[in-house]
């Protein structure tokens, strides 16, 4: 591999390799492709049912993001979410997900399907001051009842959210929505804080069960 040194002052130097340059180039291309994907509406949703183990009846579903890439085909979130988070494109992608899920909830409700849909909310999304007002606006626009929506936040996000976010979350929950903590068991929860949070359930991470 080729190495390139760059002086950084105070006797320090950064070392660049061809591999690092290639990784940066791939990340920039992925970011450009994501921008095109947002503009061209290349995203879609897959619905994973959540089943009552006693009755075997589906009670809800999780809306999972998929990217129909024009060259490489269907991509799962693991292939692009980190780049979306780093570039802040996750906010625009998240807005698309919210709109698509609100439309789906309203359509299912009109057919008499009373199954709740859950979506993952990223830290970048929820730190936006107007996140909950935008969420309510899209739900109202489509006529989607909040009682059929569940928001999932990670354990790490739950432990780092400020009081202002919790108040907004509690108000949305009071409207009928549900709040869940995902990936529970992967971090270090403050159980006293957890007890006081406006949440309905926790989803145990497979590593905790193992």
């Amino acid at each position: 591999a080729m190495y390139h040194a760059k002086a950084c002052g105070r006797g320090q130097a950064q070392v660049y390799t061809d591999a690092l340059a290639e990784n940066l180039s791939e990340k920039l291309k992925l970011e450009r492709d994501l921008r095109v994907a947002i503009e061209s509406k290349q995203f879609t949703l897959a619905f994973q049912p959540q089943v009552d183990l006693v009755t075997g009846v589906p009670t809800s579903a999780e809306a999972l993001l998929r990217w129909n890439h024009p060259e490489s085909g269907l991509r799962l979130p693991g292939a692009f979410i980190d780049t979306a988070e780093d570039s802040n494109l996750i906010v625009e992608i998240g807005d698309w997900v919210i709109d698509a899920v609100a439309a789906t909830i309203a359509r299912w409700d009109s057919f008499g399907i009373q199954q709740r849909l859950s979506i993952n909310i990223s830290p970048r999304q929820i730190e936006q001051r107007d996140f909950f007002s935008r969420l309510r606006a899209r739900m109202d626009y489509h006529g989607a009842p909040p009682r059929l929506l569940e928001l999932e936040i990670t354990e790490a996000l739950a432990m780092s959210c400020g009081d202002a976010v919790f108040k907004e979350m509690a108000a949305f929950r009071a409207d009928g929505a549900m709040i869940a903590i995902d990936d529970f068991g992967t971090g270090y929860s403050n159980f006293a804080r957890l007890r006081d949070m406006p949440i309905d359930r926790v989803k145990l991470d497979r590593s905790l069960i193992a």
Side-chain angles (χ1 to χ4, degrees):
M2 295 292 292
Y3 293 86
H4 313 277
K6 176 183 177 182
C8 297
R10 295 190 177 182
Q12 298 178 345
Q14 284 183 318
V15 178
Y16 295 93
T17 68
D18 290 344
L20 287 175
E22 184 177 350
N23 287 341
L24 178 59
S25 177
E26 289 177 356
K27 185 173 182 179
L28 291 174
K29 182 181 184 306
L30 179 55
E31 185 177 329
R32 289 194 299 269
D33 285 352
L34 281 171
R35 293 183 188 280
V36 172
I38 294 170
E39 296 169 359
S40 304
K41 297 180 172 37
Q42 295 174 3
F43 294 107
T44 188
L45 296 176
F47 301 104
Q48 177 174 288
Q50 298 175 352
V51 179
D52 186 319
L53 292 179
V54 175
T55 64
V57 175
T59 58
S60 59
E62 184 174 359
L64 304 173
L65 185 64
R66 299 292 185 263
W67 178 10
N68 284 316
H69 194 280
E71 297 174 2
S72 56
L74 196 66
R75 287 190 177 185
L76 302 181
F80 60 86
I81 283 296
D82 286 347
T83 297
E85 287 272 6
D86 292 343
S87 61
N88 216 34
L89 289 173
I90 193 66
V91 174
E92 294 180 62
I93 295 172
D95 284 347
W96 179 87
V97 170
I98 287 170
D99 190 72
V101 165
T104 300
I105 287 174
R107 185 168 64 253
W108 288 5
D109 188 45
S110 70
F111 293 146
I113 301 174
Q114 298 293 307
Q115 291 181 354
R116 189 174 58 254
L117 266 181
S118 63
I119 55 174
N120 291 286
I121 303 299
S122 78
R124 294 275 190 179
Q125 285 177 275
I126 211 166
E127 71 185 9
Q128 304 293 312
R129 285 187 177 182
D130 60 346
F131 170 74
F132 283 96
S133 62
R134 295 202 322 273
L135 173 59
R136 282 195 177 87
R138 298 320 297 169
M139 296 289 285
D140 290 344
Y141 175 81
H142 290 287
R147 60 184 169 78
L148 296 180
L149 179 68
E150 179 180 66
L151 303 182
E152 292 187 13
I153 62 174
T154 64
E155 180 182 17
L157 177 55
M159 291 300 105
S160 62
C161 280
D163 291 341
V165 171
F166 284 153
K167 287 180 181 179
E168 293 273 15
M169 199 181 297
F172 192 59
R173 183 170 177 260
D175 290 341
M178 292 184 69
I179 309 295
I181 294 182
D182 198 8
D183 299 333
F184 186 80
T186 58
Y188 298 93
S189 290
N190 180 325
F191 285 96
R193 179 180 175 86
L194 192 65
R195 181 191 58 199
D196 296 333
M197 289 176 57
I199 60 173
D200 296 281
R201 63 184 185 134
V202 295
K203 297 175 65 178
L204 302 182
D205 188 79
R206 68 178 63 185
S207 63
L208 179 63
I209 297 173

